[in-house]
Amino acid sequence: MKQNYDPTSFFDFLDFGPVKTYACDGLRTLAVYCRGNCEQMEKLLEPTPFTLADDRFVVSVADFANIRALTGRPSYPYFDAAIVLPVEINGERGGNYYFEWEDSHVSVASGRELWGYPKRFAKIALNEIEGGLHAKTWDYEKPVFDIDFTFDDSVTGENWNDVAMAPHFQVRAVPEVDGPGFESFKVISRDAGQDFELLSKHRGRATVEFGPEIQVADEPFEIVEVLGAEYTVGNYVSSQENGIPRIVASFV
């Protein structure tokens, strides 16, 4: 073994560093609020330590084109797409990123390893069109989900303003190398949105179409109703105070 070896140097081999504080000016986010099938949503959460807190969930696409690291290694631009479920643990409510995709190998690896976000690689687009936006996520040739959003000032958001999607609750689990269980199994809580500076918000109507990849026990994940959507632009910060997760439960 090398003398005086510094394990943190292994981040150079992994090609991502412990970048825990970062910012993104002009972050564009499209969030579609849907009502789901409670039986299916509870089925999705069965393998997790979370309970279902509501029958409303979010389908989102975010453009981190202007991301910059505040400490550590440089950050690289990426798109993020997700389906966030409302959950509860130990009496606290928030959102669980249950399905998530990004279009950067570095951000996929770092998000999974550092904090347990279930990121997978996919192609993602969020394009402005006449009167609205079109968002698309696809896994090579397989469609993941497709969103059409139309600006509509008559949409108020009253059908979803009360649903708690923050903080994020994620499971960070490290499997045993030589056993059937986990070396570490922690639930983390993170709420970087506390430092978000909103620049603009527009609401409207939306349609969402899931591809075959979004399933519950081999059945399509049902959208009972699309309640509406919000398109926001703002300055995002994952700060030392609010962007670093705290551990709220440990099962190993």
Side-chain angles (χ1 to χ4, degrees):
M1 181 181 294
K2 293 177 181 177
Q3 296 297 316
N4 302 317
Y5 174 66
D6 179 8
T8 61
S9 65
F10 196 64
F11 280 117
D12 293 332
F13 173 77
L14 295 175
D15 200 29
F16 68 83
V19 179
K20 296 181 173 66
T21 56
Y22 55 92
C24 181
D25 297 331
L27 172 66
R28 301 189 306 136
T29 304
L30 176 62
V32 183
Y33 291 82
C34 305
R35 194 177 300 280
N37 180 314
C38 278
E39 184 176 344
Q40 283 193 320
M41 295 168 74
E42 289 173 343
K43 185 72 175 177
L44 285 173
L45 292 173
E46 280 184 2
T48 79
F50 307 120
T51 57
L52 185 66
D54 202 286
D55 66 348
R56 292 166 291 180
F57 65 94
V58 171
V59 185
S60 69
V61 176
D63 178 8
F64 285 85
N66 300 321
I67 190 170
R68 53 186 171 85
L70 301 179
T71 59
R73 287 167 168 260
S75 295
Y76 301 94
Y78 65 90
F79 278 92
D80 177 275
I83 298 175
V84 187
L85 303 183
V87 298
E88 182 174 334
I89 184 169
N90 296 337
E92 292 187 74
R93 289 192 172 193
N96 172 247
Y97 275 65
Y98 195 95
F99 300 98
E100 188 174 18
W101 303 263
E102 289 183 359
D103 63 348
S104 162
H105 290 293
V106 173
S107 65
V108 167
S110 60
R112 291 180 67 98
E113 298 293 335
L114 288 173
W115 294 330
Y117 285 85
K119 297 179 179 181
R120 300 175 59 183
F121 186 83
K123 297 178 180 179
I124 305 169
L126 178 60
N127 298 319
E128 296 183 3
I129 58 176
E130 184 176 356
L133 299 161
H134 178 248
K136 181 180 179 182
T137 302
W138 65 105
D139 181 356
Y140 293 91
E141 300 304 320
K142 296 183 297 183
V144 176
F145 62 72
D146 201 287
I147 300 172
D148 281 306
F149 170 74
T150 303
F151 294 113
D152 186 343
D153 291 336
S154 68
V155 177
T156 64
E158 62 183 3
N159 290 330
W160 66 79
N161 283 336
D162 62 317
V163 64
M165 288 297 175
H168 302 165
F169 291 114
Q170 303 299 138
V171 172
R172 185 182 185 275
V174 181
E176 291 179 317
V177 174
D178 55 354
F182 292 91
E183 292 182 1
S184 173
F185 194 106
K186 294 180 171 65
V187 178
I188 64 100
S189 172
R190 178 169 178 262
D191 191 1
Q194 293 186 65
D195 297 307
F196 183 72
E197 178 191 5
L198 181 66
L199 299 178
S200 66
K201 176 190 289 188
H202 299 281
R203 296 190 179 96
R205 296 173 284 107
T207 60
V208 182
E209 183 177 348
F210 287 158
E213 193 166 319
I214 312 301
Q215 292 189 349
V216 184
D218 297 324
E219 295 292 334
F221 184 21
E222 180 184 359
I223 299 175
V224 175
E225 180 185 7
V226 177
L227 302 173
E230 292 179 344
Y231 175 59
T232 60
V233 179
N235 296 328
Y236 174 92
V237 179
S238 177
S239 68
Q240 187 72 34
E241 293 76 19
N242 299 311
I244 307 301
R246 61 184 176 91
I247 297 170
V248 296
S250 181
F251 292 85
V252 176

